[in-house]
Amino acid sequence: MAALMKNQVFSCFVFYGVLLVMKMYIIAIITGQVRLRKKAFANPEDTLRHGGLQYHRQDPYVERCRRAHINDIENILPFLFLGAIYSMTGPGLAVARLHFLIFFLARVLHSVAYLFALQAPTRSLAYIVAQIPCISMALQILMAVWQYA
Ligand SMILES: N[C@@H](CCC(=O)N[C@@H](CS)C(=O)NCC(=O)O)C(=O)O
């Protein structure tokens, strides 16, 4: 692990990757807090403890939080895979950092746009901008390994 961390690009990737995982935890915490505030629980044992309807799985804001979280899972997990492999292909630090930073900022904007229901197409644009470094990393990885196909 110590040897891996000497790879500056990998360390930079780890920094942004961990921040993004923490961002996902924050969305999970927000979802839980909204459930408590609105007494919109998915499970009867939670209702028994906190009150509310036995099942309330249709609260619009809880569902919004859940969609934001699912979209993070769809996008941040692939980033964690691509970023780790890309870091091993020997990119320059400045260019790699730009990839990670663009993805990070765009995903933060995506979450903010989702949770605050910002005017369209803010969320979609954030999604598209975040895809650009991912596609770039995927292509560079493929170019690095194509001879092994
Ligand atoms: N699973 C996504 C795939 C496409 C996607 O991620 N679109 C972005 C930009 S429109 C999004 O924020 N989708 C909303 C969502 O996944 O809840 C969907 O169903 O929309």
Side-chain angles (χ1 to χ4, degrees):
M1 189 66 178
L4 212 49
M5 287 303 184
K6 284 197 185 117
N7 177 337
Q8 292 182 320
V9 174
F10 185 74
S11 292
C12 182
F13 159 72
V14 168
F15 177 77
Y16 287 107
V18 170
L19 283 185
L20 285 164
V21 169
M22 288 169 70
K23 188 198 74 60
M24 291 174 72
Y25 290 158
I26 289 170
I27 292 190
I29 291 167
I30 291 172
T31 309
Q33 292 305 309
V34 174
R35 283 193 187 284
L36 277 169
R37 189 160 49 81
K38 297 190 150 190
K39 296 201 183 299
F41 300 110
N43 305 292
E45 62 271 25
D46 302 325
T47 306
L48 265 180
R49 181 166 163 77
H50 300 287
L53 295 174
Q54 191 178 13
Y55 295 104
H56 185 17
R57 293 180 176 164
Q58 301 298 327
D59 181 85
Y61 199 69
V62 170
E63 292 309 308
R64 177 175 285 279
C65 294
R66 281 163 53 78
R67 289 196 302 276
H69 198 157
I70 291 168
N71 195 272
D72 269 353
I73 295 170
E74 288 175 359
N75 290 278
I76 292 175
L77 289 189
F79 168 80
L80 294 178
F81 170 74
L82 290 174
I85 308 289
Y86 168 72
S87 300
M88 307 298 161
T89 62
L93 179 59
V95 173
R97 180 182 284 131
L98 195 64
H99 280 71
F100 304 148
L101 185 62
I102 289 173
F103 183 81
F104 171 75
L105 293 176
R107 288 311 302 182
V108 170
L109 178 60
H110 184 275
S111 298
V112 171
Y114 223 151
L115 295 183
F116 291 95
L118 299 188
Q119 194 178 18
T122 312
R123 193 191 75 243
S124 300
L125 285 178
Y127 166 80
I128 290 166
V129 170
Q131 291 304 90
I132 294 169
C134 288
I135 290 167
S136 167
M137 288 191 294
L139 291 177
Q140 289 177 72
I141 293 168
L142 287 177
M143 285 192 294
V145 298
W146 71 269
Q147 64 267 41
Y148 301 103

